[in-house]
Amino acid sequence: TFRVKLFAYMYSVLGLSALTVIIILNFVVLRTVLSLHRKACEIQMVVFLIGILTIVSVCWAPLMIRVFLIQTGLKEKDVIRDLIFIRMASFNQIMDPWVYILFRKTLLTRIIQFIKVHLCLQRKQISSKVPGVGDIEEISRVRQGELSQQSCNNGAGEPFLSKSTGETLS
């Protein structure tokens, strides 16, 4: 009937519009936060926003697109696929708490430290083909997690800044 089609169009168009506005506004926030200072809490907020934005987009956009395509006649109704997309949308409520858990500050700092250690180790191995005795000792300290952040960056607040060239590695 006309009312059902109208409701389906409104649901999908308003939902996709809201999702698009959310994505645009989050990118504005991300750009603003990244252009300001690079404090740890701000970087954590950026990672958290990206995580939430990804989860919401992956969970809800397929359902809204599917509803729109079915109503326009571009896709046929398929009960199994429709249920899959509805389950994906409901999966958002399950994933949101996990984003809070996985993107906690302690876990993020461990991940960042892990990345820094491996980038420093890889840079050391690339810069010197034959490691000296001091390099071997430093590599063993890195593997044990005793390397300080000072050896990874040049103290300028850029964690992935190369000491030799001054270029950002990320």
Side-chain angles (χ1 to χ4, degrees):
T1 66
F2 176 74
R3 292 170 80 184
V4 173
K5 282 191 174 223
L6 180 66
F7 177 75
Y9 278 125
M10 286 178 42
Y11 173 78
S12 62
V13 169
L14 289 175
L16 287 171
S17 300
L19 191 60
T20 304
V21 168
I22 289 169
I23 289 171
I24 290 170
L25 292 177
N26 276 326
F27 276 119
V28 169
V29 168
L30 293 174
R31 195 181 87 218
T32 303
V33 167
L34 289 176
S35 69
L36 296 174
H37 306 286
R38 290 204 168 175
K39 296 178 183 174
C41 63
E42 293 169 351
I43 298 298
Q44 181 187 4
M45 182 194 337
V46 167
V47 172
F48 178 74
L49 278 174
I50 291 171
I52 287 290
L53 184 64
T54 303
I55 295 295
V56 167
S57 300
V58 167
C59 290
W60 281 101
L63 175 66
M64 290 180 227
I65 292 170
R66 177 100 178 139
V67 168
F68 184 78
L69 292 177
I70 289 173
Q71 292 306 313
T72 57
L74 296 173
K75 292 280 183 181
E76 293 291 321
K77 290 182 181 179
D78 183 2
V79 176
I80 302 292
R81 287 184 187 214
D82 294 342
L83 283 175
I84 289 171
F85 288 120
I86 290 170
R87 287 178 182 153
M88 282 178 61
S90 65
F91 197 61
N92 181 52
Q93 286 78 15
I94 297 169
M95 289 302 296
D96 278 343
W98 282 100
V99 172
Y100 287 102
I101 292 168
L102 293 176
F103 293 147
R104 288 188 327 246
K105 185 176 181 178
T106 55
L107 186 62
L108 283 178
T109 51
R110 286 182 185 169
I111 291 171
I112 290 170
Q113 185 65 26
F114 178 81
I115 290 170
K116 282 182 183 181
V117 164
H118 281 72
L119 280 178
C120 288
L121 215 133
Q122 184 179 14
R123 243 188 304 171
K124 289 274 185 199
Q125 291 173 350
I126 291 172
S127 66
S128 63
K129 293 181 182 177
V130 180
V133 175
D135 291 337
I136 292 173
E137 290 173 1
E138 186 172 353
I139 288 172
S140 66
R141 279 193 316 237
V142 166
R143 288 187 178 151
Q144 295 173 1
E146 297 175 359
L147 182 66
S148 70
Q149 288 182 350
Q150 292 296 327
S151 64
C152 285
N153 57 21
N154 61 355
E158 290 289 335
F160 301 112
L161 196 67
S162 172
K163 286 183 180 180
S164 59
T165 62
E167 297 174 345
T168 305
L169 296 175
S170 58

